[in-house]
Amino acid sequence: MGKVKYVEELAALRQGDQTILKKIYEAHRKPFIDWAMARFQVKQEEAADVFQDTMVAFYENVVEGKVVELRSQMRTYLFGIGRFMLLARFRERKKEIEWEEEDWRQVEADAKQVKADYSIQLNDRQAFLQEAIAALGQPCQQLLVLFYYQRFTTEAIMMEMGYQSTDVVKSQKARCMKTLKMRFKSGFSREGI
């Protein structure tokens, strides 16, 4: 697990210290807007609106006691909130983000299937893959989930997991995928699935 961070700052913010909020706001506003414009191709005004909403959500989480410490950098935490807000906006508009139109159709079909049948059963191959991922160990699991499911960039993974560089993240991801493929292939053929 990562080192616990920002405990004092979040406690002061919970006690009403607005200077902390102002410092966080000023330190992250421009980088967030630049990142949102580049990554999601939104206009500056929309990126600024999302950052404002992100800061409101962050502040509410702190004041309500939902966030008392962070295990990542403040930037990673705020950008994560903002990323989900941007994706939600795009889903509402049915725009594509990093996915092909066919992928969105598949997601929509999967969502309809989940609504239709809450007791979805994984097929043998999917269940085995799930077990193989679980057997990888925490660092590989976390890295692969951040990259493939949460769509973190290698830079965001580097900051989140405390790696020294994006090259280290890339080589670690390659090793994790190699291990996963070997486990999957050997176990899959052994089980006769």
Side-chain angles (χ1 to χ4, degrees):
M1 286 284 169
K3 183 180 174 187
V4 175
K5 301 170 183 158
Y6 305 105
V7 175
E8 294 85 13
E9 293 91 337
L10 296 175
L13 188 54
R14 225 176 354 272
Q15 298 300 318
D17 185 348
Q18 295 298 305
T19 59
I20 300 282
L21 185 63
K22 185 177 180 182
K23 284 180 186 175
I24 293 170
Y25 183 92
E26 290 173 351
H28 296 91
R29 185 178 189 276
K30 182 175 178 355
F32 180 92
I33 290 171
D34 292 344
W35 168 79
M37 289 171 60
R39 177 83 190 257
F40 294 93
Q41 287 89 43
V42 295
K43 294 183 179 179
Q44 184 174 357
E45 299 79 28
E46 185 170 12
D49 286 346
V50 172
F51 181 71
Q52 190 70 28
D53 292 343
T54 298
M55 288 302 297
V56 169
F58 164 71
Y59 182 73
E60 288 173 353
N61 286 343
V62 171
V63 170
E64 292 170 7
K66 293 178 182 175
V67 176
V68 294
E69 64 187 36
L70 295 179
R71 294 195 179 273
S72 65
Q73 295 298 321
M74 182 66 69
R75 174 187 167 114
T76 304
Y77 182 76
L78 293 174
F79 283 35
I81 294 172
R83 181 181 178 280
F84 286 113
M85 289 184 173
L86 284 161
L87 288 174
R89 285 181 179 219
F90 281 111
R91 277 192 293 272
E92 288 171 12
R93 293 184 207 145
K94 299 211 180 244
K95 284 190 176 180
E96 297 174 357
I97 297 298
E98 298 177 359
W99 289 10
E100 298 297 322
E101 189 174 323
E102 184 177 320
D103 293 323
W104 277 114
R105 283 196 295 267
Q106 183 60 48
V107 168
E108 289 172 357
D110 290 346
K112 288 176 185 170
Q113 179 63 33
V114 168
K115 287 179 185 173
D117 179 12
Y118 291 105
S119 61
I120 273 186
Q121 295 293 317
L122 298 177
N123 67 34
D124 290 339
R125 189 178 179 100
Q126 292 167 327
F128 189 82
L129 180 58
Q130 191 175 46
E131 290 174 20
I133 292 170
L136 282 177
Q138 179 56 28
C140 277
Q141 281 180 23
Q142 183 180 6
L143 192 151
L144 295 177
V145 166
L146 289 173
F147 187 80
Y148 289 106
Y149 291 101
Q150 296 182 6
R151 303 244 184 221
F152 273 44
T153 63
T154 53
E155 182 181 77
I157 293 170
M158 178 188 76
M159 291 186 296
E160 177 73 22
M161 296 185 69
Y163 288 113
Q164 297 299 316
S165 71
T166 56
D167 290 335
V168 174
V169 173
K170 290 174 188 174
S171 63
Q172 181 64 22
K173 182 174 79 69
R175 281 192 293 275
C176 293
M177 284 303 296
K178 183 178 179 181
T179 303
L180 179 62
K181 286 176 185 176
M182 287 180 357
R183 285 178 189 234
F184 186 73
K185 284 181 182 178
S186 66
F188 199 74
S189 58
R190 187 175 59 243
E191 298 288 328
I193 297 173

